[in-house]
Amino acid sequence: MANLAQEIGNLLRQKRLTLGIVESASGGLISHLITNIPGSSDYYKGSVTAYSNEVKIKVIGVKGDTINKYGAVSYQVAEEMAQSGRKILAADICLADTGIAGPNGATSGKPLGLFYIGLSHQAETYSQKHYFQGGREQNKCQAAQATLVWLKEYLISLK
């Protein structure tokens, strides 16, 4: 994934954009991959690992009503994390993730390996839903990779 993070760094530099990340289920792995690239301070603003609902609400600004209505693992929460994180971190683009890495935490309708990824840039916020089939560490790695692949595709699509 180092090549992917390097490509993202190059694209962020070319487009003169900054990046922030709000992570939950990935536990800081996405930020780790981004900051493994020398010179990432040129475009990387920082991150918040908002693992608990309390931190999602009090630090990031996710609405308690959103979590109560849809659950912490939902596209609504992923989008609010990305949108609020972009403001808090003063970044042009913010990524966010929330999910069930396993081996526990599944509920009816929300199986192990379910992740939602959010991306916020300018006035737009998007989300993607993913199902990963591995163990805890594999699911976290797959979520981080899916997030970075999406960011790369998004950056390439910008004019």
Side-chain angles (χ1 to χ4, degrees):
M1 281 193 267
N3 288 344
L4 181 57
Q6 180 68 60
E7 290 174 54
I8 287 167
N10 292 340
L11 287 164
L12 287 165
R13 275 192 193 97
Q14 288 168 12
K15 296 177 183 299
R16 301 181 196 276
L17 295 171
T18 58
L19 176 66
I21 303 172
V22 178
E23 297 186 66
S24 184
S26 60
L29 181 56
I30 302 166
S31 301
H32 171 73
L33 294 167
I34 292 292
T35 59
N36 270 349
I37 305 304
S40 56
S41 60
D42 293 348
Y43 49 82
Y44 183 66
K45 292 286 201 134
S47 68
V48 177
T49 302
Y51 207 69
S52 72
N53 289 346
E54 181 181 16
V55 172
K56 287 178 181 77
I57 294 166
K58 290 184 178 178
V59 176
I60 303 303
V62 173
K63 296 180 193 83
D65 288 347
T66 304
I67 292 176
N68 291 334
K69 185 172 182 179
Y70 303 105
V73 180
S74 63
Y75 80 84
Q76 294 90 342
V77 169
E79 289 183 7
E80 283 190 28
M81 288 170 66
Q83 197 169 35
S84 296
R86 186 171 48 82
K87 293 173 187 151
I88 290 165
L89 297 167
D92 296 314
I93 296 174
C94 187
L95 300 171
D97 80 84
T98 183
I100 306 168
N104 305 315
T107 61
S108 63
K110 293 190 180 180
L112 294 179
L114 172 64
F115 276 75
Y116 289 94
I117 301 165
L119 186 154
S120 184
H121 178 222
Q122 296 177 338
E124 300 296 325
T125 303
Y126 312 95
S127 60
Q128 288 186 346
K129 181 179 187 177
H130 294 270
Y131 291 102
F132 304 115
Q133 300 296 316
R136 182 176 184 83
E137 195 169 330
Q138 289 172 308
N139 289 341
K140 289 170 65 173
C141 287
Q142 289 177 68
Q145 181 166 1
T147 303
L148 294 179
V149 166
W150 185 27
L151 176 59
K152 178 184 169 185
E153 291 168 354
Y154 180 80
L155 291 168
I156 289 169
S157 76
L158 294 176
K159 299 297 174 206

PDB file of all heavy atoms in Angstrom, residues 87-103:
ATOM      1  N   LYS A  87     -13.818  20.278   8.595  1.00  0.00           N
ATOM      2  CA  LYS A  87     -13.814  21.602   9.241  1.00  0.00           C
ATOM      3  C   LYS A  87     -12.848  21.639  10.422  1.00  0.00           C
ATOM      4  O   LYS A  87     -12.049  22.568  10.552  1.00  0.00           O
ATOM      5  CB  LYS A  87     -15.232  21.945   9.692  1.00  0.00           C
ATOM      6  CG  LYS A  87     -16.184  22.146   8.521  1.00  0.00           C
ATOM      7  CD  LYS A  87     -17.611  22.310   8.977  1.00  0.00           C
ATOM      8  CE  LYS A  87     -18.524  22.334   7.758  1.00  0.00           C
ATOM      9  NZ  LYS A  87     -19.844  21.830   8.048  1.00  0.00           N
ATOM     10  N   ILE A  88     -12.917  20.639  11.281  1.00  0.00           N
ATOM     11  CA  ILE A  88     -12.070  20.589  12.475  1.00  0.00           C
ATOM     12  C   ILE A  88     -10.588  20.582  12.113  1.00  0.00           C
ATOM     13  O   ILE A  88      -9.782  21.262  12.744  1.00  0.00           O
ATOM     14  CB  ILE A  88     -12.403  19.343  13.319  1.00  0.00           C
ATOM     15  CG1 ILE A  88     -13.775  19.487  13.959  1.00  0.00           C
ATOM     16  CG2 ILE A  88     -11.360  19.082  14.385  1.00  0.00           C
ATOM     17  CD1 ILE A  88     -14.317  18.177  14.495  1.00  0.00           C
ATOM     18  N   LEU A  89     -10.238  19.798  11.103  1.00  0.00           N
ATOM     19  CA  LEU A  89      -8.836  19.653  10.707  1.00  0.00           C
ATOM     20  C   LEU A  89      -8.396  20.693   9.679  1.00  0.00           C
ATOM     21  O   LEU A  89      -7.233  20.725   9.295  1.00  0.00           O
ATOM     22  CB  LEU A  89      -8.595  18.241  10.165  1.00  0.00           C
ATOM     23  CG  LEU A  89      -8.823  17.121  11.187  1.00  0.00           C
ATOM     24  CD1 LEU A  89      -8.879  15.764  10.504  1.00  0.00           C
ATOM     25  CD2 LEU A  89      -7.744  17.146  12.266  1.00  0.00           C
ATOM     26  N   ALA A  90      -9.320  21.548   9.250  1.00  0.00           N
ATOM     27  CA  ALA A  90      -9.032  22.597   8.266  1.00  0.00           C
ATOM     28  C   ALA A  90      -8.363  22.018   7.023  1.00  0.00           C
ATOM     29  O   ALA A  90      -7.365  22.530   6.525  1.00  0.00           O
ATOM     30  CB  ALA A  90      -8.187  23.709   8.879  1.00  0.00           C
ATOM     31  N   ALA A  91      -8.940  20.907   6.543  1.00  0.00           N
ATOM     32  CA  ALA A  91      -8.405  20.214   5.378  1.00  0.00           C
ATOM     33  C   ALA A  91      -9.327  20.409   4.184  1.00  0.00           C
ATOM     34  O   ALA A  91     -10.530  20.603   4.343  1.00  0.00           O
ATOM     35  CB  ALA A  91      -8.269  18.726   5.682  1.00  0.00           C
ATOM     36  N   ASP A  92      -8.762  20.337   2.994  1.00  0.00           N
ATOM     37  CA  ASP A  92      -9.576  20.427   1.780  1.00  0.00           C
ATOM     38  C   ASP A  92     -10.439  19.178   1.607  1.00  0.00           C
ATOM     39  O   ASP A  92     -11.589  19.259   1.192  1.00  0.00           O
ATOM     40  CB  ASP A  92      -8.681  20.585   0.547  1.00  0.00           C
ATOM     41  CG  ASP A  92      -7.888  21.877   0.575  1.00  0.00           C
ATOM     42  OD1 ASP A  92      -8.483  22.934   0.870  1.00  0.00           O
ATOM     43  OD2 ASP A  92      -6.674  21.825   0.305  1.00  0.00           O
ATOM     44  N   ILE A  93      -9.861  18.024   1.901  1.00  0.00           N
ATOM     45  CA  ILE A  93     -10.556  16.744   1.774  1.00  0.00           C
ATOM     46  C   ILE A  93     -10.421  16.010   3.100  1.00  0.00           C
ATOM     47  O   ILE A  93      -9.344  16.017   3.712  1.00  0.00           O
ATOM     48  CB  ILE A  93      -9.933  15.873   0.652  1.00  0.00           C
ATOM     49  CG1 ILE A  93     -10.112  16.560  -0.700  1.00  0.00           C
ATOM     50  CG2 ILE A  93     -10.554  14.473   0.632  1.00  0.00           C
ATOM     51  CD1 ILE A  93      -9.409  15.844  -1.838  1.00  0.00           C
ATOM     52  N   CYS A  94     -11.503  15.381   3.532  1.00  0.00           N
ATOM     53  CA  CYS A  94     -11.430  14.557   4.729  1.00  0.00           C
ATOM     54  C   CYS A  94     -12.047  13.198   4.443  1.00  0.00           C
ATOM     55  O   CYS A  94     -13.120  13.106   3.832  1.00  0.00           O
ATOM     56  CB  CYS A  94     -12.145  15.217   5.908  1.00  0.00           C
ATOM     57  SG  CYS A  94     -11.912  14.323   7.472  1.00  0.00           S
ATOM     58  N   LEU A  95     -11.347  12.162   4.869  1.00  0.00           N
ATOM     59  CA  LEU A  95     -11.833  10.789   4.797  1.00  0.00           C
ATOM     60  C   LEU A  95     -12.304  10.375   6.173  1.00  0.00           C
ATOM     61  O   LEU A  95     -11.793  10.859   7.186  1.00  0.00           O
ATOM     62  CB  LEU A  95     -10.696   9.850   4.382  1.00  0.00           C
ATOM     63  CG  LEU A  95     -10.033  10.104   3.049  1.00  0.00           C
ATOM     64  CD1 LEU A  95      -8.794   9.231   2.912  1.00  0.00           C
ATOM     65  CD2 LEU A  95     -11.016   9.815   1.924  1.00  0.00           C
ATOM     66  N   ALA A  96     -13.239   9.431   6.215  1.00  0.00           N
ATOM     67  CA  ALA A  96     -13.693   8.882   7.492  1.00  0.00           C
ATOM     68  C   ALA A  96     -14.075   7.425   7.293  1.00  0.00           C
ATOM     69  O   ALA A  96     -14.441   7.018   6.188  1.00  0.00           O
ATOM     70  CB  ALA A  96     -14.890   9.669   8.011  1.00  0.00           C
ATOM     71  N   ASP A  97     -13.967   6.655   8.369  1.00  0.00           N
ATOM     72  CA  ASP A  97     -14.454   5.278   8.299  1.00  0.00           C
ATOM     73  C   ASP A  97     -15.128   4.898   9.604  1.00  0.00           C
ATOM     74  O   ASP A  97     -14.789   5.406  10.670  1.00  0.00           O
ATOM     75  CB  ASP A  97     -13.319   4.296   7.979  1.00  0.00           C
ATOM     76  CG  ASP A  97     -12.483   3.961   9.186  1.00  0.00           C
ATOM     77  OD1 ASP A  97     -12.881   3.053   9.946  1.00  0.00           O
ATOM     78  OD2 ASP A  97     -11.439   4.593   9.392  1.00  0.00           O
ATOM     79  N   THR A  98     -16.098   4.013   9.484  1.00  0.00           N
ATOM     80  CA  THR A  98     -16.762   3.413  10.632  1.00  0.00           C
ATOM     81  C   THR A  98     -17.161   2.007  10.214  1.00  0.00           C
ATOM     82  O   THR A  98     -17.554   1.793   9.063  1.00  0.00           O
ATOM     83  CB  THR A  98     -17.970   4.262  11.101  1.00  0.00           C
ATOM     84  OG1 THR A  98     -18.536   3.665  12.266  1.00  0.00           O
ATOM     85  CG2 THR A  98     -19.013   4.443  10.026  1.00  0.00           C
ATOM     86  N   GLY A  99     -16.996   1.053  11.103  1.00  0.00           N
ATOM     87  CA  GLY A  99     -17.293  -0.313  10.702  1.00  0.00           C
ATOM     88  C   GLY A  99     -17.227  -1.300  11.843  1.00  0.00           C
ATOM     89  O   GLY A  99     -17.005  -0.934  12.997  1.00  0.00           O
ATOM     90  N   ILE A 100     -17.393  -2.564  11.486  1.00  0.00           N
ATOM     91  CA  ILE A 100     -17.343  -3.666  12.437  1.00  0.00           C
ATOM     92  C   ILE A 100     -16.197  -4.581  12.005  1.00  0.00           C
ATOM     93  O   ILE A 100     -16.364  -5.426  11.122  1.00  0.00           O
ATOM     94  CB  ILE A 100     -18.680  -4.437  12.474  1.00  0.00           C
ATOM     95  CG1 ILE A 100     -19.840  -3.474  12.742  1.00  0.00           C
ATOM     96  CG2 ILE A 100     -18.635  -5.543  13.528  1.00  0.00           C
ATOM     97  CD1 ILE A 100     -21.215  -4.081  12.514  1.00  0.00           C
ATOM     98  N   ALA A 101     -15.035  -4.366  12.598  1.00  0.00           N
ATOM     99  CA  ALA A 101     -13.844  -5.122  12.211  1.00  0.00           C
ATOM    100  C   ALA A 101     -13.918  -6.573  12.674  1.00  0.00           C
ATOM    101  O   ALA A 101     -13.354  -7.455  12.040  1.00  0.00           O
ATOM    102  CB  ALA A 101     -12.587  -4.449  12.762  1.00  0.00           C
ATOM    103  N   GLY A 102     -14.594  -6.823  13.782  1.00  0.00           N
ATOM    104  CA  GLY A 102     -14.735  -8.177  14.303  1.00  0.00           C
ATOM    105  C   GLY A 102     -13.743  -8.447  15.415  1.00  0.00           C
ATOM    106  O   GLY A 102     -12.935  -7.595  15.737  1.00  0.00           O
ATOM    107  N   PRO A 103     -13.765  -9.588  16.016  1.00  0.00           N
ATOM    108  CA  PRO A 103     -14.661 -10.709  15.739  1.00  0.00           C
ATOM    109  C   PRO A 103     -16.040 -10.554  16.370  1.00  0.00           C
ATOM    110  O   PRO A 103     -16.939 -11.350  16.121  1.00  0.00           O
ATOM    111  CB  PRO A 103     -13.922 -11.910  16.349  1.00  0.00           C
ATOM    112  CG  PRO A 103     -13.154 -11.322  17.496  1.00  0.00           C
ATOM    113  CD  PRO A 103     -12.769  -9.931  17.049  1.00  0.00           C
TER     114      PRO A 103
END
